[in-house]
Amino acid sequence: DAKAFERPKYGALSVMNDYRGVISARQYGDSYLVLKDVRLRCTFAGTDSGGISSSRLAVLDKYAHVLSEYNDNELHGVILVASNAKAGAAKGTVRPELLKGATEDPSMDWITMGYPQLAQASGKYYFEVHLIEGAEAPQVGLLSKDFKQQPGAPSTQGVGDCANGWAVDGQSAIGWHRGEALPWAQTWPSAEGTRKLSAAVTVGVAVDLDHRCVYFSTDGKWDEKWLESPAFGKDRIPAGMELYPAISLKGRASFDFGPYWKYKPPTRKGHKTTFNVWRNAPTGAHRVDVPQIGNSEMLSIYKEVQLHGELSLKRNVQRLVAARKYRDMNKMQRSFGLRVNKAGDCSGSYKRVGARCDMPMYRCGNGSVIYFDGPSSQWRMALKPVEGEDQFTDRAVYCSAPATAHVNEPPRGGWKLPDEERGLLPKAFFTKGLQAKGVSKEVVQSIVSKVVHQDADGKMSAFRRKGGVSFDEEWAKLEDPPCEAQAAWQAGVEQLQESLMQEFGVPGAHVVESAHPYEAKGFRWTKEVSIKGASALVVHFYEKSCTYDSSTRLCIFSGGLPRDAAGPGARVELHTCCSQRVWGTVLERSAGMWKVLLDRQTPGTTAAPAAEWPQLGDAVQAKYLHGMWFPAKISAIKVEGGIKTFTVDWDDGDYRDKEKRREEIQPRGGGPVPELAAERNVEDVEVYRQAVPKDATAQCFAHCKEGPPKRVLVKYGKQEGPKYDEQGFGVTCGDELLVFSLDRTCPLTPIVLSKISDKPGPAKVQGVDSGWYLDLVKTFSGPHREALGELLNGRLGGVTLDLCPVKPDQVMEAVMSNLESFVQLLNTKVRAMDDVTLCFIDSSAAVMPVLLPEAHVQYDAKVSSEIQLLGSDGKNDVVVKAFCSEGPAQAAGVRPGWAVDWPKTLQLNPMAELPSKEEFMDSPKSILEKSGLRLAFKNLYPVKTRQCMFYGTKTARSWRSLEIPGEFCEFEFSSDGDGASFPHQRWGFWALVSAKPAEKEEKKADSFSLEVEKKEGAMLGITTQEVSGACMITSIEPGSTPIQEWNAAHPDKALKVHDFILEVNGVKSSYESILDELRKFQKHVIVAKRSKEPMCSSGHILRPDPRVYNVCDVCRAPGTQFRCQDGCDYDMCVNCFQSFTSGPVHCPLEDLTTFAQKRVQVVSRGEGNQDDPEVERDSWDEQRLRALCAKHGWDFEWMTEDGERRRRANERFTEWKLEESMASFLHQDTTQMPDSQPLKSEEVEVVAPPVLQRVNS
């Protein structure tokens, strides 16, 4: 329930500064956003934060413990990115250019890079190329200005592979020119069987352009006769050529233009040749692979960021970096259609289907069209026409937008809706809705006069917006409106809905529906439906119900304890302030408070023994086949030979290894075995035993808040808080807290603040008032426990308390044993304290009362005055079948299907003459005529259970009608947000929920007969199986078969799966003889009998065993409720089970489709569309991406080498220049630091130039 602001937003930290984003997080999207102004609101984790402890989270300046979770490879990568931030930090702006190859990143592909802007025709120069270990197939040398550049195109030709290149390849001892492999005397170390360097190599290149000679060295070693034997001489270098440094490779390398080279240029004694720094070249080393742009593939898992607080698309997004596939998309991949959002029934994907008025026309799968209207120069969006009407008339137009000059497609925005589409209600229902909200007659008339006009059909209707008048604005002008404008308008819609229900004859039914279509974003919502007195709820779905996929699903739950239904007689569990639990019975429930009668121990008895754990229905974890522990529930307990065996139901639906011994079961989480008590009396809690009245027959109560209780810590002190003297009272807590009193009938919180000052003080300003309780546990464990302990020491029955430290439990025991003395001390000594902290609570329980699955109901009149029918549930309980009128049981929350807890009833009525358990089971009606009884009821389904799950297309079998036991159910609709491009596939669901009609007792014949004819070459259409010597039908074949024809013509005598065939044409002696008779081609008279209970194909009876992900073996629908318990893998859904036991599900409407269509249409028109429609291109091409960025004010960049990679490299280069300027500034001769403190001269020498760290926020 947290608000969006409070929810953390999750992202990935780009620790490798990879322009491709974080590769290991690609499952979340192929593009990414770079955020800004958020880093100080972020926490970080070294992995996905799901399930990790908070101690593994970090912030920017406390990150070391997360770094310790990085593996060696990840740490090495981070260090490389950080340490290489200084690479290329020399002055200058010349950078290597991509000359050939598909990428600018040599770590990704074999490419050619060089410096064509440094081409020289004369002079003598020297530079070095540092090849880093792992470089593949490097060719180092020079290119001429005539070299044909092909950046962005894949190529296997590099330096030396044409007439305009000269290079050496030390891996193969080759000099390359014109693609010829010339001999070269030097080699570079390479890994065995690969073209990768096994060690770093420095290649020296000396160029004498005046004499047209080029010389190469390896790690400073030159050929012995290098001057006489250049690698390339005049014979291979034509006169007048302008050459520049270049390299081809896959891997990492750098150019070093000096002047501080690793090795010296070549020299010969007595020779005057001198090689200089390359003219106009940047000094220092320059990496061609831009190492600070790292490789996120080194990460084993993405490093997560949790952003706290606001994430604004306008203020916190720097740029969108889009995957290159959206730029390189060819025509076969592109869609030239449109996507329309926020346009009601016109929303969806549109395809180009032709032209109109020389402009393209688009049509949606739902029949809506977008076209250009020439006479009005407008683009129009028109709804699917009613049969026989023209779609291109003004009446069919849903919205329109003016055309943009010289643009031949619909605009993105500017679409205007007619006033009728903003919300339209008939005047009568609009008026009733306002009156239902408590609006006075005069105000209603005033609003009606402003918003009610004649609609297109000539009827008077209320417009939410019309002619510049808005209902919302008029509502805001009211002095004290009873609700928000949306709620007021919705009240009129609800009146319209109720009228429609009356019109179709289903006034007590409910409609539960999603938005149509539902939003393409992640969500989860629930809605409860209750029809009081219903034995079961019937759910029917509109035929259009569908979801995009199985990740958007509707689940329906039943069972559990609806809190709203509980009242006097309901049983509750109270969690006390000392973390104990006490049971009781609700006496009153009003004004947000529950008055609970606490259970007391019967005089002369002791506490009930604890029940043995685990019990039926307990949630546990059990050991599986391979020794791992998995969650499960106890479904059965058997005792054979004194040994107890437990049957578990695995939470994941697995049907194997379900029988467990006690040592193979433990509480979930592996904690201690929970204490199970048969009862929880107030005397069972030792600390309260002394607080209850001495009279064991006296009643004890608890007054509990309906919602979460409020606990307030009130601190009194001289140095804090308001100036009490100025307000008319002193500085002690007693000047505000006037009287404390004792109430032993409320033993959980026996100390009551009876009177408090009317003037504001520390307690009053926090909401504390008369009637609040003193929370003894929190007070005695609070910040002033030592002072209170010292004050109470020796004054509570002479008890000596430990004071160093104070033990709260010891103080509580002393207080509860001497309550009168303690209250006297409160009203004297404690009220006189001027430095004390007290805790108050407005409820007798520390949390909301917890409903128990039982109720204790007192009947002064006859039981039959409320309960009409009791009957067996087919097992071991007597359940309520029907009520005849309102009464105490229903007030307590008892509903049809609840069972009478007869052992507890006997315990509650010790003086009454009542039948035994066996006699009651034989004749449950015997108690209906009794009066003066206190009956105990129990809920047989106390845990909310998922009955079914629906998803998929409208043709799926899952969207079938069903019955939900009881009068209460809960709908849960959730989605992962997929299907944004397919609104017609995410229409959502629409369900009608009504009460199942009262059962009518009908005597059904034990057997029935049918006549079918089996013609030559045909099949009857049934499959049978022998079960205990009888012939049982296991399946009925679909299609036009004699059995299917008979079933269609005689639904009351339709042959069903699991029916037994008793005889065929008089033959009934054995299964084989019946089968032989059925094989004959003739007319058959078949006598069949219904099975009493559904069975599997092997004849085993099916029992309740919900399996959400299993498939029904009858109809193949997902989600089953019944399963064979004898080892057969056979499941049945609730629909098929009900069809078998009670026939088809009852529908209260003859034509559900007509009702659903009209209701959806009426509600949609009444609620209206408050958004402005948006039109987008259906595919994410460049135009749409740039439009998105323009809308939010983002920068835009492609996730490519010449896009985001180059941008990051340039950003780093700008920072390098800033580093140098800052470094020179810090090295200036100054004697003053910024804080005006003198700086010693020797300290200047040790100040290192700072490395400016840019944090991508």
Side-chain angles (χ1 to χ4, degrees):
D1 297 328
K3 298 178 181 178
F5 180 87
E6 299 168 345
R7 294 173 180 268
K9 294 81 183 172
Y10 298 93
L13 181 65
S14 182
V15 291
M16 295 300 178
N17 199 24
D18 192 335
Y19 72 93
R20 299 169 298 166
V22 181
I23 303 299
S24 56
R26 280 287 174 86
Q27 66 268 31
Y28 298 113
D30 53 22
S31 304
Y32 61 90
L33 297 172
V34 179
L35 305 183
K36 63 180 180 181
D37 300 332
V38 297
R39 62 193 179 94
L40 298 182
R41 294 188 281 116
C42 288
T43 52
F44 305 89
T47 181
D48 190 293
S49 61
I52 71 172
S53 65
S54 59
S55 62
R56 294 176 62 188
L57 299 179
V59 292
L60 282 176
D61 55 345
K62 304 290 182 182
Y63 196 83
H65 60 291
V66 173
L67 277 177
S68 67
E69 298 184 19
Y70 284 38
N71 61 40
D72 291 346
N73 193 39
E74 292 172 337
L75 281 175
H76 180 70
V78 172
I79 292 170
L80 278 178
V81 172
S83 61
N84 282 322
K86 289 287 291 180
K91 295 180 179 179
T93 58
V94 180
R95 295 185 54 77
E97 295 182 10
L98 176 66
L99 305 177
K100 275 192 177 182
T103 172
E104 280 192 353
D105 188 356
S107 65
M108 304 301 295
D109 202 357
W110 195 80
I111 64 172
T112 299
M113 301 189 76
Y115 292 85
Q117 65 273 50
L118 299 181
Q120 303 294 333
S122 62
K124 298 179 177 64
Y125 308 103
Y126 176 74
F127 65 91
E128 291 179 342
V129 175
H130 302 295
L131 301 175
I132 298 175
E133 180 182 353
E136 296 184 62
Q139 294 177 201
V140 180
L142 301 112
L143 293 172
S144 77
K145 290 201 72 173
D146 296 330
F147 178 77
K148 185 177 180 181
Q149 300 181 25
Q150 295 177 311
S155 176
T156 58
Q157 302 294 308
V159 182
D161 291 329
C162 66
N164 296 302
W166 301 263
V168 291
D169 172 6
Q171 288 184 306
S172 304
I174 290 175
W176 290 102
H177 177 58
R178 293 181 178 272
E180 299 177 14
L182 306 174
W184 187 48
Q186 300 188 24
T187 59
W188 303 334
S190 301
E192 186 70 27
T194 70
R195 294 298 309 275
K196 293 184 178 181
L197 292 179
S198 59
V201 173
T202 298
V203 180
V205 184
V207 184
D208 184 350
L209 294 175
D210 298 333
H211 297 91
R212 306 204 307 274
C213 294
V214 182
Y215 312 90
F216 294 92
S217 69
T218 301
D219 292 332
K221 295 180 181 180
W222 300 88
D223 292 339
E224 186 176 350
K225 297 182 179 181
W226 63 271
L227 191 60
E228 292 82 4
S229 304
F232 302 100
K234 294 181 179 180
D235 57 333
R236 298 189 184 277
I237 303 177
M241 299 292 286
E242 294 184 45
L243 307 185
Y244 58 86
I247 185 174
S248 298
L249 86 163
K250 178 181 181 182
R252 305 185 182 276
S254 65
F255 286 92
D256 190 347
F257 293 104
Y260 305 108
W261 295 292
K262 187 174 183 179
Y263 301 102
K264 294 181 179 180
T267 58
R268 175 177 288 186
K269 193 173 182 179
H271 197 276
K272 297 182 180 180
T273 302
T274 300
F275 294 95
N276 302 310
V277 173
W278 197 283
R279 188 183 303 160
N280 298 327
T283 58
H286 287 267
R287 294 283 288 265
V288 299
D289 56 297
V290 194
Q292 70 277 6
I293 310 298
N295 182 5
S296 64
E297 293 180 11
M298 301 177 70
L299 299 177
S300 60
I301 189 172
Y302 57 89
K303 311 306 177 186
E304 191 182 89
V305 178
Q306 304 90 37
L307 170 62
H308 305 275
E310 179 189 54
L311 178 56
S312 169
L313 294 180
K314 291 283 187 184
R315 293 183 292 276
N316 299 123
V317 177
Q318 178 69 41
R319 66 179 175 272
L320 167 66
V321 181
R324 68 184 306 157
K325 71 177 187 180
Y326 301 112
R327 183 181 72 171
D328 301 338
M329 192 179 296
N330 57 44
K331 287 187 177 181
M332 292 183 295
Q333 298 171 314
R334 290 184 61 187
S335 167
F336 295 92
L338 301 173
R339 182 192 299 175
V340 177
N341 298 314
K342 302 179 181 179
D345 291 338
C346 288
S347 298
S349 296
Y350 287 71
K351 294 182 179 180
R352 292 180 70 145
V353 293
R356 185 180 177 87
C357 297
D358 296 326
M359 289 287 194
M361 186 171 71
Y362 305 82
R363 187 177 298 277
C364 182
N366 60 17
S368 302
V369 297
I370 297 177
Y371 66 92
F372 180 73
D373 181 61
S376 63
S377 296
Q378 288 186 329
W379 285 93
R380 291 182 168 184
M381 198 179 297
L383 295 163
K384 180 181 180 181
V386 180
E387 188 175 352
E389 289 189 6
D390 186 3
Q391 192 167 14
F392 302 101
T393 61
D394 292 345
R395 185 178 178 84
V397 173
Y398 177 75
C399 60
S400 59
T404 305
H406 310 298
V407 178
N408 64 347
E409 61 181 28
R412 182 180 183 277
W415 293 85
K416 302 299 181 185
L417 288 172
D419 294 332
E420 288 80 3
E421 299 297 339
R422 293 295 188 182
L424 188 70
L425 285 173
K427 177 182 175 181
F429 299 114
F430 173 72
T431 303
K432 286 182 180 179
L434 294 183
Q435 292 172 345
K437 286 296 182 181
V439 182
S440 66
K441 187 176 181 180
E442 294 76 16
V443 174
V444 170
Q445 290 176 350
S446 175
I447 295 177
V448 165
S449 66
K450 297 175 182 178
V451 303
V452 172
H453 306 276
Q454 194 173 57
D455 60 22
D457 297 325
K459 299 178 180 179
M460 300 305 293
S461 299
F463 289 74
R464 191 150 187 179
R465 298 189 210 172
K466 186 174 178 64
V469 178
S470 166
F471 167 76
D472 296 58
E473 294 174 358
E474 295 299 324
W475 186 262
K477 295 177 182 178
L478 300 181
E479 289 185 4
D480 188 19
C483 60
E484 298 292 332
Q486 174 61 31
W489 185 269
Q490 190 64 31
V493 176
E494 291 170 359
Q495 293 292 330
L496 183 59
Q497 293 171 342
E498 183 61 34
S499 172
L500 201 62
M501 302 287 260
Q502 296 282 354
E503 178 186 341
F504 278 81
V506 284
H510 296 262
V511 171
V512 184
E513 61 183 319
S514 66
H516 309 301
Y518 58 83
E519 289 189 89
K521 67 177 185 180
F523 62 81
R524 181 186 300 273
W525 58 260
T526 61
K527 182 171 182 180
E528 296 179 352
V529 177
S530 178
I531 301 179
K532 192 173 182 180
S535 60
L537 300 180
V538 180
V539 182
H540 293 273
F541 291 99
Y542 180 27
E543 61 185 14
K544 288 185 69 174
S545 297
C546 65
T547 66
Y548 178 70
D549 56 19
S550 60
S551 295
T552 300
R553 59 186 63 172
L554 170 69
C555 299
I556 303 180
F557 297 84
S558 69
L561 303 168
R563 197 172 186 85
D564 292 341
R571 297 279 292 162
V572 294
E573 179 179 83
L574 305 182
H575 291 232
T576 70
C577 294
C578 61
S579 302
Q580 299 294 325
R581 288 172 289 178
V582 176
W583 289 351
T585 305
V586 177
L587 292 183
E588 297 177 14
R589 184 181 180 184
S590 61
M593 294 294 295
W594 293 31
K595 183 177 180 180
V596 179
L597 176 66
L598 301 179
D599 290 356
R600 294 203 62 182
Q601 189 172 308
T602 304
T605 64
T606 58
E612 186 177 350
W613 186 90
Q615 297 290 305
L616 280 175
D618 282 351
V620 300
Q621 62 184 28
K623 187 181 289 186
Y624 194 57
L625 290 166
H626 47 61
M628 296 290 288
W629 296 83
F630 292 96
K633 285 186 179 179
I634 303 296
S635 61
I637 302 176
K638 302 175 184 176
V639 180
E640 295 181 4
I643 299 175
K644 188 173 287 189
T645 304
F646 301 86
T647 302
V648 301
D649 285 345
W650 301 107
D651 282 11
D652 61 3
D654 197 334
Y655 57 88
R656 296 168 294 179
D657 193 27
K658 297 177 63 171
E659 300 296 323
K660 297 295 170 186
R661 300 184 304 275
R662 172 62 186 84
E663 58 268 23
E664 296 177 303
I665 297 173
Q666 64 184 24
R668 292 196 179 182
V673 173
E675 175 192 356
L676 296 178
E679 54 190 29
R680 295 188 187 278
N681 301 317
V682 68
E683 287 91 348
D684 295 338
V685 182
E686 185 175 355
V687 71
Y688 298 123
R689 193 173 300 157
Q690 301 298 325
V692 298
K694 301 302 181 182
D695 182 1
T697 61
Q699 293 182 332
C700 292
F701 307 96
H703 303 273
C704 307
K705 284 283 292 292
E706 173 103 12
K710 183 178 181 181
R711 181 183 275 122
V712 173
L713 205 63
V714 181
K715 184 176 182 180
Y716 294 90
K718 295 179 181 180
Q719 71 282 7
E720 297 181 14
K723 297 180 180 178
Y724 303 130
D725 287 339
E726 296 178 5
Q727 298 176 4
F729 50 87
V731 296
T732 66
C733 68
D735 290 316
E736 183 184 19
L737 310 177
L738 302 181
V739 179
F740 289 95
S741 59
L742 171 64
D743 183 3
R744 284 189 177 273
T745 64
C746 187
L748 305 186
T749 47
I751 309 300
V752 185
L753 178 61
S754 302
K755 189 175 181 181
I756 188 172
S757 173
D758 295 333
K759 299 178 181 179
K764 197 79 171 180
V765 297
Q766 295 188 72
V768 178
D769 208 344
S770 299
W772 280 50
Y773 303 99
L774 182 65
D775 188 333
L776 298 174
V777 176
K778 294 294 182 182
T779 296
F780 295 139
S781 58
H784 287 88
R785 54 184 176 274
E786 289 83 4
L788 289 170
E790 186 175 349
L791 185 147
L792 300 177
N793 190 24
R795 292 189 171 100
L796 297 175
V799 176
T800 302
L801 303 175
D802 295 332
L803 300 179
C804 293
V806 170
K807 298 178 180 178
D809 292 344
Q810 185 189 40
V811 179
M812 275 290 297
E813 183 179 352
V815 167
M816 299 299 275
S817 300
N818 300 274
L819 282 171
E820 285 80 4
S821 300
F822 177 68
V823 172
Q824 185 177 359
L825 288 171
L826 272 177
N827 286 316
T828 55
K829 300 294 185 180
V830 175
R831 288 185 63 243
M833 295 179 70
D834 57 8
D835 190 16
V836 67
T837 300
L838 303 177
C839 184
F840 294 92
I841 189 170
D842 63 350
S843 174
S844 295
V847 298
M848 297 166 54
V850 178
L851 286 176
L852 297 174
E854 57 187 59
H856 292 174
V857 178
Q858 179 67 40
Y859 279 99
D860 296 326
K862 291 183 178 180
V863 176
S864 60
S865 63
E866 181 186 17
I867 299 177
Q868 180 180 0
L869 182 63
L870 293 173
S872 172
D873 67 342
K875 300 177 183 177
N876 298 314
D877 288 297
V878 172
V879 298
V880 177
K881 294 287 187 177
F883 291 102
C884 58
S885 62
E886 297 286 342
Q890 294 174 81
V894 178
R895 297 295 182 261
W898 279 51
V900 178
D901 187 343
W902 195 248
K904 190 67 177 179
T905 297
L906 294 175
Q907 183 181 342
L908 294 175
N909 300 273
M911 306 303 294
E913 294 184 6
L914 297 174
S916 65
K917 170 75 172 180
E918 293 74 19
E919 292 171 338
F920 178 62
M921 290 292 298
D922 292 338
S923 179
K925 297 180 180 180
S926 59
I927 68 164
L928 292 179
E929 297 305 314
K930 292 185 177 291
S931 60
L933 285 182
R934 194 177 183 196
L935 293 183
F937 297 89
K938 59 182 178 181
N939 188 347
L940 297 178
Y941 304 98
V943 179
K944 187 172 68 173
T945 305
R946 178 158 52 186
Q947 293 288 338
C948 50
M949 180 172 62
F950 303 133
Y951 57 81
T953 63
K954 58 187 177 183
T955 58
R957 291 179 175 178
S958 61
W959 299 98
R960 294 178 51 181
S961 302
L962 75 157
E963 283 184 9
I964 304 294
E967 65 173 24
F968 168 83
C969 69
E970 180 180 274
F971 287 72
E972 179 185 271
F973 192 50
S974 60
S975 175
D976 63 350
D978 285 351
S981 300
F982 307 95
H984 59 284
Q985 293 182 24
R986 48 182 177 86
W987 189 84
F989 77 94
W990 185 100
L992 176 68
V993 185
S994 59
K996 180 182 178 182
E999 296 182 6
K1000 296 179 181 179
E1001 293 293 331
E1002 295 182 4
K1003 284 194 173 183
K1004 297 183 180 179
D1006 290 340
S1007 61
F1008 60 95
S1009 62
L1010 58 150
E1011 296 183 10
V1012 293
E1013 184 175 358
K1014 183 180 180 183
K1015 297 181 179 179
E1016 191 74 27
M1019 303 292 291
L1020 278 178
I1022 58 173
T1023 305
T1024 63
Q1025 180 176 323
E1026 183 178 8
V1027 176
S1028 302
C1031 179
M1032 187 186 77
I1033 298 174
T1034 57
S1035 66
I1036 297 178
E1037 300 298 327
S1040 180
T1041 64
I1043 295 296
Q1044 288 285 18
E1045 291 173 358
W1046 168 269
N1047 287 348
H1050 306 84
D1052 55 330
K1053 294 183 178 181
L1055 204 61
K1056 299 181 179 180
V1057 174
H1058 299 149
D1059 284 352
F1060 287 92
I1061 296 179
L1062 303 180
E1063 62 179 80
V1064 180
N1065 300 327
V1067 177
K1068 57 180 179 180
S1069 57
S1070 66
Y1071 171 72
E1072 288 77 12
S1073 59
I1074 290 176
L1075 207 59
D1076 290 339
E1077 190 68 20
L1078 288 173
R1079 293 193 181 105
K1080 297 178 180 178
F1081 298 105
Q1082 61 184 25
K1083 185 175 289 186
H1084 294 291
V1085 177
I1086 301 173
V1087 179
K1089 179 182 179 181
R1090 302 284 188 210
S1091 171
K1092 292 184 178 179
E1093 295 185 86
M1095 294 180 288
C1096 71
S1097 55
S1098 299
H1100 305 134
I1101 295 175
L1102 302 182
R1103 298 299 183 194
D1105 189 355
R1107 299 297 175 94
V1108 175
Y1109 297 102
N1110 286 17
V1111 175
C1112 177
D1113 283 279
V1114 179
C1115 70
R1116 310 308 299 169
T1120 61
Q1121 287 293 315
F1122 302 89
R1123 183 173 173 83
C1124 176
Q1125 302 298 305
D1126 292 274
C1128 302
D1129 186 14
Y1130 191 94
D1131 299 87
M1132 184 179 289
C1133 69
V1134 66
N1135 295 327
C1136 292
F1137 188 89
Q1138 291 167 352
S1139 176
F1140 179 88
T1141 56
S1142 59
V1145 178
H1146 168 79
C1147 182
L1149 290 170
E1150 293 184 4
D1151 191 351
L1152 179 69
T1153 299
T1154 300
F1155 172 67
Q1157 286 176 342
K1158 185 171 182 179
R1159 193 179 189 280
V1160 169
Q1161 180 182 359
V1162 166
V1163 171
S1164 176
R1165 190 172 179 83
E1167 292 179 341
N1169 184 3
Q1170 307 309 311
D1171 297 315
D1172 292 326
E1174 295 177 352
V1175 177
E1176 301 275 9
R1177 289 194 175 190
D1178 199 24
S1179 60
W1180 282 105
D1181 56 11
E1182 181 171 359
Q1183 181 177 346
R1184 185 178 177 192
L1185 289 169
R1186 291 190 180 276
L1188 176 66
C1189 292
K1191 176 182 178 181
H1192 297 294
W1194 303 342
D1195 294 339
F1196 175 77
E1197 198 61 81
W1198 289 112
M1199 195 192 301
T1200 56
E1201 296 77 15
D1202 59 344
E1204 180 66 10
R1205 182 176 178 274
R1206 179 176 292 174
R1207 182 183 186 126
R1208 294 197 182 194
N1210 289 336
E1211 287 175 350
R1212 296 298 292 169
F1213 183 77
T1214 302
E1215 291 168 11
W1216 294 335
K1217 295 191 70 178
L1218 180 59
E1219 276 183 43
E1220 293 177 346
S1221 63
M1222 290 294 292
S1224 62
F1225 171 76
L1226 290 175
H1227 279 80
Q1228 291 177 2
D1229 186 12
T1230 177
T1231 59
Q1232 293 292 320
M1233 289 292 284
D1235 57 1
S1236 299
Q1237 294 297 320
L1239 179 67
K1240 297 180 181 179
S1241 59
E1242 60 268 21
E1243 291 179 328
V1244 176
E1245 300 299 324
V1246 298
V1247 176
V1251 176
L1252 303 181
Q1253 298 294 331
R1254 180 175 70 86
V1255 180
N1256 276 337
S1257 62

